[in-house]
Amino acid sequence: SENINTDFDVHVYFSNINQFSLDLAVKAYTNVSSYGDFMKIKQDILVNIYDLILKEGADVPFPTNTVVLEKE
């Protein structure tokens, strides 16, 4: 993206292995200074990562809860 500052390397690594997740950390520098622009770039990066995971045939689990209602 033209909004990523290519003067610095982009780093992507596993930051943590949890019971129900593998956490990624992404470090990149942007060419914008406003918070709103930064958040849009961050969202675009996360959506691209999500799309790449799906394209490769993997999936991203989302936590769920099941509630069973019984009649008395």
Side-chain angles (χ1 to χ4, degrees):
S1 167
E2 69 276 357
N3 292 317
I4 301 297
N5 186 331
T6 56
D7 292 337
F8 301 95
D9 292 334
V10 174
H11 300 274
V12 180
Y13 54 92
F14 283 113
S15 63
N16 207 358
I17 297 175
N18 292 304
Q19 184 177 1
F20 299 106
S21 68
L22 300 174
D23 298 346
L24 291 176
V26 178
K27 181 179 178 183
Y29 291 89
T30 66
N31 292 321
V32 299
S33 58
S34 83
Y35 183 73
D37 290 341
F38 169 76
M39 291 304 292
K40 179 170 181 348
I41 293 167
K42 180 179 176 179
Q43 175 176 288
D44 290 344
I45 291 170
L46 292 173
V47 168
N48 285 330
I49 291 170
Y50 181 74
D51 289 345
L52 179 63
I53 290 169
L54 295 179
K55 178 183 170 193
E56 293 299 321
D59 201 1
V60 177
F62 295 98
T64 60
N65 289 318
T66 303
V67 177
V68 178
L69 300 175
E70 296 181 4
K71 281 188 169 182
E72 293 184 24

